[in-house]
Amino acid sequence: MIEKIELQWLLSFQAVYQQLSFKRAAEQLQLPTSNVSRHVALLEQQLSLRLLERTTRKMIPTAAGKQLYQAITPLTRAMNDALEEASLHGDSLSGHLKIIMPDLPFLAEITANFCLQHPQIQLSCDTQLNPSEGLLEGFDLVLRFGRGPLEDSGWVAKEIQRWPSCVVAAPQLLKQHRVPDSLDELSKAPCITSLSVLQGMPWRFKHNQTIQVQSSYKVNSGYMARAAALKGLGFAILPTHACQADIENGSLIKIDLNCQPEDLVLYAFYSGKKYPLEKVRVFLEHLRLAIMDLDSGGNKVS
């Protein structure tokens, strides 16, 4: 049976199963949609069974499709790992590196420099701040910011860098709202929160303390949060280094509370083994050193 099945048919089926879309699977595989559709059709024809039920609105795996996916996924992952490890015996780092990361200037610069240093690397990068769990399949590495304890997942988490944070407010806001000196008072004041990331609600502080805050301004951008804080739209939690100049010139006031906010942490997530693939390991070391250089030079990274 196996000699009649092409590996690309299985990879196309695997991608369609994960994405429940021929179009998104084709984008992941960097193939024409027609090719992916044909691969799945040929696989179903060879097996004489339906793997995916298609309608005009949605796609649903059949029982046979689910069983095949669960059986081949560990095998294709093991094959990919074997090929990656074999490639390490070459003279230079090579292979396809697939990353999800926030769309931030400093990460863009660091990633471009990495590819410049390793021209045999093929990069595929999707820029998302808070990718859903279902989109992570097929990627080697996910970079994501967080505050406080991480949620359990099947991915290995590696801390890349952390930045102390503080609560700040503009002088004009403090003319309308008294300076809070406790978390309870802060919870009653207008605040600027994230829309869908960093567990925007509740706000997280050291020693496992959390508060629910009032917010009519929710954004998924540290730049937008800082801009709103400068306009007096609410209290904000910002990395201290990102607003230090504003504090020094009086544009923002640092609020001294009875508890400090959790640090902002950049995490790298990779799947599978305890130790990452060589291309991932080298990229993470490049990232760590580059961020250290930025911090030591006083440059803002968020």
Side-chain angles (χ1 to χ4, degrees):
M1 171 67 76
I2 193 171
E3 67 277 2
K4 298 179 181 179
I5 304 294
E6 293 188 15
L7 177 60
Q8 189 58 61
W9 300 356
L10 295 173
L11 295 178
S12 292
F13 161 71
Q14 190 177 44
V16 174
Y17 184 100
Q18 292 167 354
Q19 302 291 342
L20 293 180
S21 164
F22 283 110
K23 181 180 179 180
R24 290 196 297 270
E27 291 172 352
Q28 176 181 317
L29 295 170
Q30 297 184 315
L31 292 172
T33 304
S34 58
N35 285 24
V36 175
S37 178
R38 179 168 55 85
H39 294 161
V40 174
L42 288 170
L43 179 60
E44 290 180 326
Q45 179 181 340
Q46 190 62 52
L47 296 175
S48 299
L49 51 79
R50 178 74 73 176
L51 299 173
L52 301 161
E53 294 291 352
R54 295 84 138 174
T55 69
T56 56
R57 293 187 176 182
K58 60 182 178 179
M59 185 180 301
I60 303 174
T62 64
K66 182 176 181 180
Q67 180 181 13
L68 179 62
Y69 173 80
Q70 292 175 341
I72 67 172
T73 296
L75 300 177
T76 56
R77 184 177 294 126
M79 289 176 63
N80 185 70
D81 289 350
L83 292 171
E84 293 285 356
E85 290 172 4
S87 72
L88 300 182
H89 297 286
D91 295 331
S92 62
L93 198 68
S94 63
H96 197 173
L97 180 61
K98 292 171 281 187
I99 308 175
I100 297 179
M101 66 170 64
D103 187 9
L104 293 172
F106 81 96
L107 288 177
E109 187 76 15
I110 290 171
T111 303
N113 283 336
F114 175 79
C115 291
L116 187 64
Q117 294 175 22
H118 303 283
Q120 299 303 312
I121 286 288
Q122 303 172 52
L123 177 73
S124 293
C125 182
D126 188 358
T127 52
Q128 298 185 44
L129 197 57
N130 190 39
S132 62
E133 199 69 30
L135 293 178
L136 302 185
E137 287 293 338
F139 284 89
D140 301 306
L141 183 67
V142 176
L143 300 180
R144 181 187 290 170
F145 290 102
R147 290 191 195 274
L150 292 174
E151 297 179 358
D152 291 335
S153 71
W155 289 62
V156 178
K158 178 181 177 64
E159 180 179 316
I160 301 299
Q161 184 71 311
R162 65 172 54 233
W163 296 277
S165 300
C166 59
V167 177
V168 294
Q172 59 267 37
L173 178 68
L174 298 180
K175 292 179 181 178
Q176 305 170 24
H177 300 272
R178 60 166 300 201
V179 178
D181 57 14
S182 68
L183 297 186
D184 182 61
E185 289 185 8
L186 180 62
S187 69
K188 298 178 175 64
C191 294
I192 299 163
T193 67
S194 58
L195 180 63
S196 61
V197 298
L198 299 181
Q199 299 128 341
M201 289 288 190
W203 274 11
R204 298 178 178 271
F205 291 79
K206 305 277 189 181
H207 310 298
N208 293 321
Q209 296 196 62
T210 62
I211 59 169
Q212 295 288 341
V213 297
Q214 302 178 36
S215 177
S216 58
Y217 197 92
K218 302 180 177 69
V219 293
N220 278 349
S221 163
Y223 296 108
M224 291 187 69
R226 174 177 168 271
L230 287 167
K231 295 294 184 180
L233 293 176
F235 292 85
I237 293 180
L238 297 175
T240 303
H241 75 273
C243 59
Q244 188 62 48
D246 301 315
I247 295 172
E248 291 174 357
N249 65 30
S251 299
L252 291 174
I253 306 299
K254 183 178 179 181
I255 308 301
D256 293 321
L257 297 164
N258 55 357
C259 191
Q260 293 300 311
E262 284 281 10
D263 296 340
L264 178 68
V265 183
L266 178 62
Y267 291 102
F269 297 87
Y270 54 88
S271 62
K273 299 175 291 186
K274 179 179 179 181
Y275 300 102
L277 297 171
E278 182 68 7
K279 61 185 178 183
V280 173
R281 186 193 67 77
V282 174
F283 177 81
L284 291 179
E285 182 63 12
H286 171 85
L287 175 65
R288 185 184 68 81
L289 293 175
I291 291 178
M292 286 178 61
D293 287 342
L294 285 175
D295 284 352
S296 63
N299 294 310
K300 295 182 180 180
V301 296
S302 64

